[in-house]
Amino acid sequence: MPPLLPRPRILIVEDEIVVARDIESQLNLLGYETVGRTAQGTQAVLLARELRPDLVLMDIKLEGEMDGIEAASSIHTEGIPVVFLSAMVDVDTVSRAKRAIPFGYIIKPFSGRELQPAIEMALHRHQIERMLARSEERMRLIFAGTQSGIWDRDFCLRSCFFAPSWWQMLGYEAEALPATPQFELELTHPEDRDRVEQTLTQQLTSSTSVYEVEFRLRHKAGHYVPVLARGLILRDA
């Protein structure tokens, strides 16, 4: 028999004790574990740091000086997802709530049928974001380890991305100058510019999926750095 998965641990932040108890009861019936309950924003932040719940259900109107939106903003920095539970649906409140980067917004009154999907979607989204963060960190380490100037160019949007290693290769701080195709061409040695543009045009208009050209880029100190640029050409409609 496979081991049982741990129940998601949830912190309840609600200023009305009767409502808080009802939420706790619904969570227990739905198979979640309640790890704490508070009516204050400052206490919610402290409990989140101490208990490390999988999710925080957060009312917006709370006791004390810190409301639920401020508390959610602080908890977000701890890497803990927050779902708002509130009867407040005015434009200003919702606009403020969005800046706290919540994982959901449930309007009171609600039922268990509304609560469970919102919780499951928030937990799933949080899991996906954690996986993406690990993937991005892995790629960052790969880029750093290769000591190559990683770049990407979108010809439809006319935009460029140059990784920090690309800038460092030329003696600049990351994103020190506008990252545009024209900017890269301006750094290219005058004797290489026509050949680089011709090579790019030929390879983009052919059926090849590989871009490769050697040229020189001007270093911040004034000298030129020899570069072998390689890329994979991806085409769509």
Side-chain angles (χ1 to χ4, degrees), residues 57-101:
L57 293 178
M58 178 78 69
D59 192 6
I60 290 179
K61 186 178 179 182
L62 298 174
E63 297 176 1
E65 296 181 357
M66 179 182 286
D67 70 4
I69 296 175
E70 293 175 277
S73 297
S74 296
I75 292 172
H76 175 75
T77 63
E78 300 288 331
I80 300 171
V82 174
V83 171
F84 285 120
L85 306 175
S86 179
M88 303 173 69
V89 293
D90 59 281
V91 174
D92 290 341
T93 299
V94 173
S95 179
R96 282 187 61 225
K98 287 164 60 177
R99 291 197 289 270
I101 317 181

Side-chain angles (χ1 to χ4, degrees), residues 7-8 10-14 16-38 57 85 110 112 115 119:
R7 296 194 300 166
I10 299 178
L11 173 64
I12 300 172
V13 186
E14 167 63 54
E16 295 185 29
I17 186 64
V18 174
V19 175
R21 287 175 178 169
D22 180 58
I23 293 172
E24 184 172 6
S25 176
Q26 290 189 57
L27 292 177
N28 290 332
L29 289 173
L30 293 170
Y32 302 111
E33 178 185 352
T34 303
V35 296
R37 199 173 67 196
T38 182
L57 293 178
L85 306 175
F110 53 85
L115 188 60
I119 291 175

Side-chain angles (χ1 to χ4, degrees), residues 8-237:
R9 303 166 64 253
I10 299 178
L11 173 64
I12 300 172
V13 186
E14 167 63 54
D15 71 332
E16 295 185 29
I17 186 64
V18 174
V19 175
R21 287 175 178 169
D22 180 58
I23 293 172
E24 184 172 6
S25 176
Q26 290 189 57
L27 292 177
N28 290 332
L29 289 173
L30 293 170
Y32 302 111
E33 178 185 352
T34 303
V35 296
R37 199 173 67 196
T38 182
Q40 296 185 340
T42 52
Q43 183 69 12
V45 175
L46 294 174
L47 286 174
R49 290 173 181 167
E50 177 185 350
L51 301 173
R52 307 301 303 177
D54 297 306
L55 181 76
V56 177
L57 293 178
M58 178 78 69
D59 192 6
I60 290 179
K61 186 178 179 182
L62 298 174
E63 297 176 1
E65 296 181 357
M66 179 182 286
D67 70 4
I69 296 175
E70 293 175 277
S73 297
S74 296
I75 292 172
H76 175 75
T77 63
E78 300 288 331
I80 300 171
V82 174
V83 171
F84 285 120
L85 306 175
S86 179
M88 303 173 69
V89 293
D90 59 281
V91 174
D92 290 341
T93 299
V94 173
S95 179
R96 282 187 61 225
K98 287 164 60 177
R99 291 197 289 270
I101 317 181
F103 281 62
Y105 198 111
I106 303 175
I107 301 173
K108 295 179 179 179
F110 53 85
S111 66
R113 290 185 60 187
E114 297 169 288
L115 188 60
Q116 186 173 27
I119 291 175
E120 290 301 314
M121 291 298 291
L123 292 172
H124 179 67
R125 175 186 156 192
H126 183 56
Q127 182 182 22
I128 296 299
E129 289 190 359
R130 289 176 63 185
M131 292 171 60
L132 287 173
R134 285 196 295 267
S135 178
E136 289 176 358
E137 176 63 11
R138 189 178 299 117
M139 292 302 298
R140 186 190 67 79
L141 293 174
I142 290 172
F143 290 166
T146 61
Q147 296 184 343
S148 299
I150 309 298
W151 56 274
D152 174 73
R153 179 180 296 182
D154 188 319
F155 290 91
C156 295
L157 299 178
R158 297 182 181 276
S159 63
C160 290
F161 163 77
F162 300 118
S165 54
W166 190 95
W167 295 95
Q168 292 166 8
M169 180 179 68
L170 299 177
Y172 292 95
E173 294 292 329
E175 301 181 357
L177 298 170
T180 64
Q182 185 60 33
F183 158 71
E184 185 181 19
L185 189 62
E186 290 172 359
L187 292 182
T188 302
H189 194 289
E191 296 177 3
D192 298 339
R193 290 176 186 171
D194 288 344
R195 178 171 53 82
V196 169
E197 288 193 287
Q198 289 173 6
T199 300
L200 179 61
T201 300
Q202 290 171 359
Q203 294 180 347
L204 286 177
T205 54
S206 71
S207 60
T208 182
S209 60
V210 177
Y211 167 73
E212 182 172 315
V213 63
E214 291 187 58
F215 58 102
R216 292 162 287 179
L217 287 174
R218 188 174 69 248
H219 193 277
K220 183 180 180 181
H223 63 277
Y224 283 87
V225 177
V227 172
L228 169 60
R230 286 176 173 159
L232 174 67
I233 301 173
L234 301 178
R235 297 179 174 87
D236 58 19

